[in-house]
Amino acid sequence: MYIPAETGVNEDSCSSKLHTVFGEPRNFDPSFRGPIHNRACTDVLCCVIFVIVILGYIALGTVAWIHGDTRKVVYPTDSHGQFCGQQGTPNTNKAILFYFNILQCANPAVLINLQCPTTQLCVSKCPDRFATYLDMQYNYRYNNSYWEYYRQFCKPGFDNPRKSVAHVLRDEDCPSMIVPSRPFLQRCFPDFITRNGTLTVANKTDFKDGLGKTRSVIDLRKAANGITSLLDAKEVGMKIFEDYASSWYWILLGLVITMVVSLAFILLLRFTAGVLLWLIIFGVIAVVGYGIWHCYWEFSTLRGKPHSDGDVTISDIGFQTDFRVYLQLSQTWLILMISLSVIEAVIIVILIFLRRRVRIAIALLKEGSRAIGYIMSTLFYPIITFVLLAICIAYWAVIAVFLASSGDAVYKVMSTQDKCMYANLTCDPEKFSQTNVTMVCPGSQCTFAFYGGESLYHHYIFVLQLCNLLVFLWLVNFTIALGQCTLAGAFASYYWALRKPQDIPSCPLFSSFSRAVRYHTGSLAFGSLILAFVQMFRIVLEYLDHKLKGAHNAFARFLICCLKCCFWCLEHFIKFMNRNAYIMMAIYGKSFCTSAKDAFFLLMRNVVRVAVLDKVTDFLLFLGKVLISGSVGVLAFFFFTRKITVIQEEVPSLNYYWVPLLTVIFGSYLIAHGFFNVYAMCVDTLFLCFCEDLERNDGSPLKPFYMSPQLHRILRREQGSKLYASS
């Protein structure tokens, strides 16, 4: 570190080399008293571009709203482009889509995209029995109810049950057969049920296809490949929804407890930072140690039981929707025990080798707790960030839906023949019967395919979706940057107050927010745009990686993997630099590039502290998040598994107890993360201010230190590098 000559302290050789490479520290400025209030607007061009993009984004939303129609997403569409279940139409009470011949559908993806080469009709309910048109005609002579039931799956207005089967199938008046089905995604799919390992539909393994042939249920399975797994997913989803419905108030109570504990923890940290942080460390070690013991006990118990599943592996049973099955396997507990042991060993090794740095980190957190204690409003600023992020996400989602539903109904020729020359060509359903397509390709139909158009707008919908995503990422990063700059300015006002708290300006958080919006919108937008481009490129790489998963080009997949790794590192480096650039910007009011350069050189001149002190502090804050969320999670685990006998009667009946448990743990971590993020920003700001303070001042009456005496004393003692020696 650079220390003025009058202090009688010599720089060490390492510090001298760093100054040579990364520039000399700033000279003392007696007029400097913390964040500069007389500022000028920075990066004005970026600010103008940002405002223009926002106006364009609003215009894009307006255009998408004009051309889009959410009904196209909410309601399924029949072969004539009519919505199923739409109020005020003949299909008001017909909310389910029915396929005339599901055997012609290749897979469920085709069904969901509404491009199955068969007539699609809106119905009020799915068939609940096997029947064919031939059987209906035979039974109709004796009982009219057979026709009354079958006709609800025929085209509206058709009322001629005596019409020959050949003509009915030619004109697509009625389906040749119906099979027991149930609605899924508002579409009728065969009701597959596995009984004793045999696939059945309505307890039958075969059926008549309407043309006199006996078909196996396996043919239906092939036509709707993957439907059973989707139906299982739906069943699991319904059970999860039921669990949320019966336990939401207990989940909410757990999150409220987390909020109270986090707030109390931060308030206590102001007075007992050292004790609480050591409690965190040993608490996490104790919790992980208990987890290791519990896993070993479960492992030993399962191994010791005769005729148990102790020798069965996870690969033997495959994927199971009931996760309790895995808890009956000794291998599960062995994997958990090894994982927790590795985590425990890593924590202990870190603490052994960095115990001195832990003490310095405690000093920084104590100073941070004092700063937050004087500026309590900073604890509630994450609510503003959350609201702004929610608005950005909602607006992006609405635009994406309206863009996806833009356009008019497009009809295409769907043929069951592979070599039909007219297949997939656009057609007009009203004039289709007058063409020769059905003669050249028997069985072809003019069926609704998707929504689109031939205008310039419709040709560039995909590009507009990409623009929507890019601007969304830009706005999200700008919102986060605004929060970081605002908090940095407030905490810098605390640090650069010579007499604390007398010299702390009034309403420091509001003043910092006003300065950031008024003077530095362009700079924040500039830094956010750089990060948004990197994130956009990462999304494209993820998409390419997903597309190449089934490919056999090993070099391409290796190249994509390397690019993903490089851009992941680049994104995190830019986030780190942006964060420190916003701190320097909040203090000095300079442009983004200048602030980033100053922050980079300042960090490089203090690279040891950056690499150790700052990261140790982040690690301790992370342990605090884990301890709070883990403690609430343990409490939730004992509650939802009925281990607390006092309130055992109050526990709701659940299908999967892990649903509310994971929700509580994840929500608790997010809440603790929101509170501790304020702390992390505070420590980072104080750290940079401390480095600036050391370079500007020497502790003399003319150039006094702005840091608190306690922080200066502890840092001098614990650093042990003889930066300051008495003359």
Side-chain angles (χ1 to χ4, degrees):
M1 295 298 297
Y2 173 83
I3 302 301
E6 57 265 33
T7 60
V9 181
N10 296 323
E11 297 176 67
D12 57 23
S13 59
C14 179
S15 181
S16 300
K17 292 178 181 178
L18 288 175
H19 293 162
T20 302
V21 176
F22 298 109
E24 290 296 325
R26 294 180 180 83
N27 294 324
F28 174 72
D29 182 5
S31 63
F32 181 76
R33 289 293 183 269
I36 298 174
H37 296 278
N38 297 325
R39 304 175 178 229
C41 294
T42 57
D43 297 310
V44 178
L45 179 60
C46 293
C47 180
V48 173
I49 295 175
F50 184 61
V51 173
I52 293 174
V53 169
I54 291 179
L55 295 177
Y57 200 35
I58 296 174
L60 174 61
T62 304
V63 173
W65 180 77
I66 293 173
H67 289 85
D69 188 350
T70 54
R71 296 176 303 173
K72 300 170 186 177
V73 179
V74 176
Y75 303 107
T77 311
D78 64 11
S79 296
H80 300 286
Q82 298 175 343
F83 301 117
C84 298
Q86 182 185 355
Q87 298 295 323
T89 67
N91 292 332
T92 300
N93 298 320
K94 300 178 179 179
I96 307 172
L97 194 66
F98 171 73
Y99 298 89
F100 267 30
N101 188 357
I102 198 171
L103 291 174
Q104 295 182 7
C105 303
N107 53 59
V110 172
L111 302 182
I112 295 173
N113 290 329
L114 302 177
Q115 295 182 17
C116 182
T118 186
T119 301
Q120 300 151 26
L121 185 71
C122 296
V123 295
S124 58
K125 63 178 182 179
C126 296
D128 59 5
R129 67 194 71 170
F130 280 110
T132 65
Y133 190 81
L134 286 172
D135 293 337
M136 182 278 300
Q137 279 191 324
Y138 177 80
N139 293 316
Y140 167 71
R141 294 178 296 176
Y142 308 103
N143 192 338
N144 188 52
S145 62
Y146 285 93
W147 167 242
E148 293 299 326
Y149 178 80
Y150 204 91
R151 69 183 299 179
Q152 61 184 325
F153 305 106
C154 299
K155 287 183 177 179
F158 180 73
D159 192 14
N160 185 10
R162 292 185 176 86
K163 188 175 180 179
S164 66
V165 175
H167 288 85
V168 167
L169 298 182
R170 181 197 63 189
D171 300 333
E172 292 287 338
D173 293 321
C174 290
S176 62
M177 64 171 183
I178 57 175
V179 297
S181 307
R182 55 176 169 173
F184 177 63
L185 299 176
Q186 290 185 270
R187 293 159 177 84
C188 292
F189 289 135
D191 189 8
F192 294 113
I193 299 176
T194 303
R195 298 186 181 277
N196 298 324
T198 303
L199 187 67
T200 65
V201 175
N203 294 325
K204 293 186 177 181
T205 57
D206 52 40
F207 63 98
K208 295 181 179 179
D209 65 356
L211 300 177
K213 295 182 180 180
T214 300
R215 307 285 291 268
S216 171
V217 170
I218 302 298
D219 295 333
L220 285 176
R221 174 67 175 271
K222 292 178 180 178
N225 184 29
I227 291 297
T228 52
S229 60
L230 293 175
L231 293 175
D232 287 341
K234 180 195 174 186
E235 184 178 356
V236 173
M238 290 299 297
K239 289 183 178 180
I240 291 176
F241 179 79
E242 292 173 359
D243 289 343
Y244 278 127
S246 59
S247 62
W248 66 268
Y249 43 89
W250 293 108
I251 295 175
L252 186 61
L253 178 61
L255 299 181
V256 170
I257 292 174
T258 302
M259 187 178 300
V260 173
V261 171
S262 299
L263 184 59
F265 183 86
I266 289 178
L267 294 177
L268 288 174
L269 198 63
R270 179 184 179 187
F271 306 102
T272 57
V275 176
L276 283 177
L277 284 175
W278 284 114
L279 284 177
I280 288 176
I281 295 171
F282 291 113
V284 170
I285 293 176
V287 169
V288 177
Y290 170 78
I292 296 173
W293 175 84
H294 183 76
C295 292
Y296 175 76
W297 182 80
E298 293 283 357
F299 173 78
S300 302
T301 303
L302 291 174
R303 279 289 186 180
K305 287 183 179 180
H307 309 293
S308 67
D309 296 330
D311 296 329
V312 180
T313 63
I314 296 176
S315 59
D316 292 336
I317 64 173
F319 176 75
Q320 300 292 328
T321 56
D322 188 357
F323 289 95
R324 288 174 293 187
V325 174
Y326 297 107
L327 299 181
Q328 306 301 321
L329 305 179
S330 60
Q331 188 186 46
T332 302
W333 295 105
L334 179 62
I335 294 174
L336 291 175
M337 182 176 65
I338 295 174
S339 302
L340 291 176
S341 300
V342 172
I343 294 173
E344 185 89 330
V346 170
I347 294 175
I348 293 175
V349 169
I350 289 176
L351 291 176
I352 290 175
F353 287 96
L354 299 179
R355 59 188 183 278
R356 288 186 176 180
R357 304 301 180 183
V358 170
R359 296 193 185 99
I360 301 176
I362 291 173
L364 284 172
L365 285 175
K366 282 184 177 180
E367 191 68 14
S369 65
R370 293 190 187 94
I372 291 179
Y374 289 126
I375 315 175
M376 288 290 291
S377 56
T378 54
L379 288 176
F380 302 98
Y381 185 84
I383 298 176
I384 299 177
T385 302
F386 174 80
V387 172
L388 293 177
L389 289 177
I391 293 174
C392 293
I393 294 173
Y395 190 76
W396 165 78
V398 169
I399 290 182
V401 170
F402 274 102
L403 284 175
S405 61
S406 297
D408 301 321
V410 175
Y411 299 86
K412 288 193 173 184
V413 177
M414 298 294 177
S415 175
T416 57
Q417 300 180 3
D418 297 333
K419 298 182 179 180
C420 176
M421 59 185 298
Y422 296 103
N424 292 323
L425 296 180
T426 57
C427 57
D428 186 346
E430 296 181 357
K431 301 179 181 179
F432 185 72
S433 60
Q434 303 173 8
T435 64
N436 66 338
V437 176
T438 55
M439 298 178 60
V440 177
C441 303
S444 298
Q445 302 176 45
C446 184
T447 305
F448 167 79
F450 55 86
Y451 292 101
E454 301 298 328
S455 67
L456 184 66
Y457 169 77
H458 294 107
H459 285 166
Y460 285 93
I461 281 184
F462 179 72
V463 176
L464 294 177
Q465 288 280 26
L466 292 179
C467 293
N468 180 32
L469 179 59
L470 177 61
V471 179
F472 164 72
L473 294 174
W474 193 1
L475 291 176
V476 167
N477 289 317
F478 177 83
T479 301
I480 297 173
L482 178 61
Q484 292 175 343
C485 189
T486 299
L487 292 173
F491 293 129
S493 299
Y494 162 83
Y495 186 92
W496 296 108
L498 188 59
R499 296 176 302 162
K500 302 176 179 63
Q502 292 87 348
D503 292 344
I504 299 176
S506 59
C507 303
L509 183 67
F510 178 76
S511 299
S512 178
F513 179 81
S514 302
R515 289 195 299 269
V517 173
R518 181 178 179 182
Y519 298 110
H520 305 304
T521 297
S523 298
L524 297 176
F526 188 18
S528 304
L529 181 61
I530 296 173
L531 185 57
F533 275 125
V534 175
Q535 291 173 338
M536 188 72 179
F537 199 82
R538 285 195 64 200
I539 293 175
V540 174
L541 289 177
E542 290 291 344
Y543 173 78
L544 294 177
D545 183 53
H546 177 73
K547 287 295 184 182
L548 291 174
K549 278 186 177 179
H552 298 287
N553 192 334
F555 176 76
R557 295 192 61 185
F558 172 76
L559 181 62
I560 291 293
C561 184
C562 292
L563 288 174
K564 285 171 59 179
C565 179
C566 292
F567 274 87
W568 181 89
C569 296
L570 179 61
E571 179 184 356
H572 283 72
F573 174 75
I574 291 177
K575 284 182 177 179
F576 174 76
M577 287 307 306
N578 282 4
R579 184 183 181 95
N580 289 281
Y582 299 147
I583 295 174
M584 300 298 287
M585 187 190 307
I587 298 174
Y588 295 105
K590 296 182 180 180
S591 65
F592 174 78
C593 292
T594 303
S595 299
K597 182 193 70 173
D598 292 343
F600 177 76
F601 286 161
L602 181 62
L603 293 173
M604 289 299 100
R605 292 195 297 268
N606 298 272
V607 65
V608 177
R609 287 193 176 98
V610 173
V612 180
L613 296 182
D614 194 42
K615 294 307 153 189
V616 168
T617 303
D618 291 342
F619 175 69
L620 292 178
L621 292 177
F622 171 74
L623 291 183
K625 301 173 193 176
V626 172
L627 181 62
I628 291 176
S629 58
S631 300
V632 176
V634 170
L635 180 63
F637 172 78
F638 284 116
F639 174 77
F640 288 116
T641 55
R642 302 177 183 270
K643 304 255 188 210
I644 305 177
T645 56
V646 179
I647 53 176
Q648 194 172 15
E649 300 292 333
E650 303 294 331
V651 181
S653 179
L654 301 171
N655 297 297
Y656 308 115
Y657 73 86
W658 51 264
V659 171
L661 176 61
L662 292 181
T663 304
V664 169
I665 294 175
F666 183 69
S668 299
Y669 185 83
L670 288 181
I671 292 174
H673 179 73
F675 279 98
F676 280 87
N677 252 6
V678 176
Y679 238 82
M681 196 66 204
C682 178
V683 172
D684 289 345
T685 303
L686 296 181
F687 176 72
L688 282 186
C689 291
F690 165 75
C691 294
E692 281 283 288
D693 196 9
L694 288 178
E695 294 187 349
R696 286 181 171 275
N697 308 306
D698 58 10
S700 65
L702 293 177
K703 293 183 285 186
F705 286 124
Y706 284 82
M707 71 183 77
S708 65
Q710 298 87 349
L711 177 62
H712 182 226
R713 183 173 59 253
I714 294 175
L715 286 171
R716 284 182 58 193
R717 184 177 67 246
E718 297 297 339
Q719 184 65 24
S721 59
K722 297 182 181 180
L723 292 178
Y724 301 99
S726 57
S727 55

